[in-house]
Amino acid sequence: MLRPSFSVLIVWLLWSWAGAQIWQGFLFGTPHAEYVFKSAVRDIPVFWTVLSALLAVAAIVAASLWSMT
């Protein structure tokens, strides 16, 4: 069962991501088709690296919150 702190953390991360996407659209607009990179294969390692870093930070925060109880 999820503790309330995990639910709050997940909601906070999702809202932050959504807000960043909205601001990016307002500030920079949508990219033109000729500037969009066609193959995202080279971005996959970057994605997994960032995702693993975020999960590590989330685990550290969760462990810290868990140890407070």
Side-chain angles (χ1 to χ4, degrees):
M1 180 163 175
L2 284 176
R3 296 175 58 92
S5 57
F6 293 129
S7 301
V8 169
L9 180 64
I10 290 170
V11 169
W12 178 65
L13 287 173
L14 288 174
W15 275 91
S16 299
W17 175 79
Q21 293 297 315
I22 289 171
W23 274 108
Q24 181 180 0
F26 285 149
L27 293 175
F28 304 111
T30 56
H32 295 287
E34 62 266 14
Y35 297 117
V36 175
F37 186 63
K38 299 293 188 256
S39 174
V41 173
R42 72 174 203 165
D43 293 336
I44 290 174
V46 173
F47 169 76
W48 288 111
T49 304
V50 171
L51 181 64
S52 62
L54 287 174
L55 289 175
V57 170
I60 291 169
V61 170
S64 171
L65 291 174
W66 186 274
S67 67
M68 284 190 224
T69 59

